[in-house]
Amino acid sequence: MQNVKLSRKEEELMEIIWQQEKVFFKDIVDAYPEPKPAATTIATLLKRMQDKAIIGYVLFGNSRQYYPLIKKSDYFSKHVKGIIKNYFGNSALQFASFFTTSGNMSAEELQELKKIIDAQIQKKKK
């Protein structure tokens, strides 16, 4: 995946496309909460995202069915890695420390996180 950065509005639109996987323009418009952006705004965002090779489409008559060209997990993983590099000296440990102390996590959430970490430790030991 190339170094793609989406604007906040593009991320909102991608969220709809990622959720639906294959979606027509009308369904995209319907999926937006009120107040919905103008159809021309959505069309402009779609065009920009096509130019960035983030989405593709298939023509059905005069209608386009849009689909993602990048996985949500790949997109966000790349950006989290960038945050860790740029703000935490490329240290996942510093990021995790910040996240757990500043994230207002409940005891239950921290316990769940501990289980995930313990499972990863066991995998690494094998």
Side-chain angles (χ1 to χ4, degrees), residues 5 36 42-43 47-48 51 55-56 63 67-68 79 84 107-108:
K5 178 65 179 134
K36 296 180 186 297
I42 296 170
K47 174 68 173 119
R48 258 196 262 158
D51 292 346
I55 60 170
S63 298
Y67 58 90
H79 289 285
I84 292 170
E108 294 80 20

Side-chain angles (χ1 to χ4, degrees), residues 8-24:
R8 187 176 58 78
K9 293 292 184 189
E10 289 170 334
E11 282 183 0
E12 288 174 8
L13 177 51
M14 271 311 292
E15 191 61 45
I16 293 168
I17 295 170
W18 279 319
Q19 286 175 359
Q20 309 256 344
E21 294 181 15
K22 293 180 180 178
V23 61
F24 288 98

Side-chain angles (χ1 to χ4, degrees), residues 10-11 57 59 79 83 92 109:
E10 289 170 334
E11 282 183 0
Y57 66 86
L59 277 175
H79 289 285
I83 289 169
E109 289 171 323

Side-chain angles (χ1 to χ4, degrees), residues 54-126:
I54 297 167
I55 60 170
Y57 66 86
V58 177
L59 277 175
F60 289 92
N62 291 333
S63 298
R64 293 180 181 186
Q65 184 182 48
Y66 296 94
Y67 58 90
L69 294 175
I70 59 173
K71 294 179 184 174
K72 182 178 181 179
S73 59
D74 291 343
Y75 175 76
F76 285 104
S77 175
K78 184 168 183 65
H79 289 285
V80 168
K81 287 177 184 173
I83 289 169
I84 292 170
K85 180 181 177 188
N86 294 329
Y87 297 101
F88 297 95
N90 215 20
S91 169
L93 183 59
Q94 285 183 13
F95 172 74
S97 175
F98 173 82
F99 181 73
T100 55
T101 58
S102 302
N104 295 325
M105 296 177 75
S106 69
E108 294 80 20
E109 289 171 323
L110 287 167
Q111 197 63 37
E112 283 298 312
L113 182 58
K114 183 180 181 300
K115 287 179 189 175
I116 293 167
I117 292 168
D118 288 344
Q120 289 301 312
I121 290 169
Q122 291 305 314
K123 283 183 184 178
K124 301 278 182 182
K125 286 183 178 179
K126 293 182 181 180

